[in-house]
Amino acid sequence: GGGGGRGVGGGAGAATQQLAPTTQVAMAAILDDNTERLSHKEVEQRRREKAKLYFDELRALLPCGADSKFDKNTILQNTIAMIKQLQAELDFYREAKMGAKRPLTQPGSTDYRQSFDVTRQPLCFCGLDGCVWESNASFCNLMGYTKQEIAGLSLLNSTAPCDSDASSQHWQRLISSGMCNCTFYCNVIRKDSQQLLVNMDLNLIHKKNQPYCFLVATNPTS
């Protein structure tokens, strides 16, 4: 009986000795897991750090994105505008690749509209008073506005005070002289109040032999 007891006791002791290393490994794994588990505050901190890296990368891809006045909303707004512009370019090239039904020498109004939208040249149509009628994505990006915000914006009022008088004279001289275009340098004021030196190309469009509106091309000098 005693031998049996010792056998049982010895078996239990052996089993305990066999399980002990496994239990130690399991406990060590649990401890490591607890050590690696982050607090809610640490998780939020890492999330913010990742978000900042994403915004910094977007900022580097945008024209004038290095400007410290670009906040997160402006970065997202301009990124969306650029994506829409790229989508329009893809649609344009896809249709061109498939082949137009009309001869290439006879573009229609849709073709002109697409060309206006997809070109990377900042363009806008303005009334004789200098207020924006229509603009493409490149012009919106340059000025920092959405298409909805920029409609009705006065380019004359968006000219820096130091260039305002000279710029107005160019606009009025073009209307009164009968010339079709002129080019001059001036500083324009973006939505974020940053001043940007541009080469402004004014093209006067006539309708029924009368001045009707302007096609304005703006080229940043830097």
Side-chain angles (χ1 to χ4, degrees), residues 177-194:
S177 67
M179 296 190 303
C180 291
N181 47 60
C182 72
T183 302
F184 58 94
Y185 289 93
C186 69
N187 287 279
V188 294
I189 304 174
R190 292 168 38 85
K191 180 183 177 181
D192 56 16
S193 300
Q194 177 188 4

Side-chain angles (χ1 to χ4, degrees), residues 30-50:
I30 292 172
L31 289 173
D32 289 342
D33 183 61
N34 288 337
T35 301
E36 293 178 358
R37 188 175 296 131
L38 300 175
S39 67
H40 176 72
K41 183 177 180 180
E42 290 170 327
V43 170
E44 286 299 307
Q45 178 64 25
R46 290 195 177 185
R47 185 187 63 79
R48 287 192 293 269
E49 290 173 354
K50 280 189 177 182

Side-chain angles (χ1 to χ4, degrees), residues 42-222:
E42 290 170 327
V43 170
E44 286 299 307
Q45 178 64 25
R46 290 195 177 185
R47 185 187 63 79
R48 287 192 293 269
E49 290 173 354
K50 280 189 177 182
K52 184 179 183 303
L53 290 175
Y54 292 146
F55 274 106
D56 287 344
E57 187 172 356
L58 281 177
R59 183 191 299 276
L61 295 173
L62 294 175
C64 303
D67 180 9
S68 60
K69 296 180 181 177
F70 264 48
D71 60 16
K72 292 182 179 180
N73 287 338
T74 305
I75 292 173
L76 290 176
Q77 170 189 315
N78 290 352
T79 300
I80 291 171
M82 289 189 70
I83 291 173
K84 288 181 177 179
Q85 179 180 345
L86 290 173
Q87 287 177 332
E89 291 182 10
L90 287 174
D91 291 340
F92 178 79
Y93 290 124
R94 190 178 295 114
E95 290 183 8
K97 187 175 181 180
M98 293 175 63
K101 294 182 179 180
R102 68 174 69 87
L104 294 179
T105 54
Q106 299 179 14
S109 59
T110 302
D111 299 315
Y112 287 117
R113 177 69 196 194
Q114 286 182 330
S115 299
F116 176 77
D117 288 336
V118 305
T119 182
R120 300 193 180 190
Q121 167 69 58
L123 295 172
C124 71
F125 286 99
C126 292
L128 299 181
D129 58 357
C131 291
V132 176
W133 288 358
E134 185 71 21
S135 59
N136 63 5
S138 295
F139 186 82
C140 292
N141 289 338
L142 179 72
M143 298 297 292
Y145 292 92
T146 65
K147 289 182 73 70
Q148 292 74 23
E149 291 173 333
I150 208 166
L153 178 75
S154 171
L155 284 187
L156 292 174
N157 291 339
S158 297
T159 303
C162 60
D163 297 323
S164 181
D165 290 342
S167 179
S168 296
Q169 290 175 11
H170 285 295
W171 287 68
Q172 294 303 320
R173 187 181 302 118
L174 198 58
I175 295 174
S176 59
S177 67
M179 296 190 303
C180 291
N181 47 60
C182 72
T183 302
F184 58 94
Y185 289 93
C186 69
N187 287 279
V188 294
I189 304 174
R190 292 168 38 85
K191 180 183 177 181
D192 56 16
S193 300
Q194 177 188 4
Q195 291 191 17
L196 188 65
L197 180 62
V198 299
N199 181 10
M200 187 168 289
D201 184 24
L202 294 182
N203 301 275
L204 183 60
I205 298 173
H206 289 77
K207 193 172 185 179
K208 296 181 179 180
N209 296 322
Q210 296 294 326
Y212 178 64
C213 69
F214 288 100
L215 173 62
V216 183
T218 49
N219 297 286
T221 59
S222 60

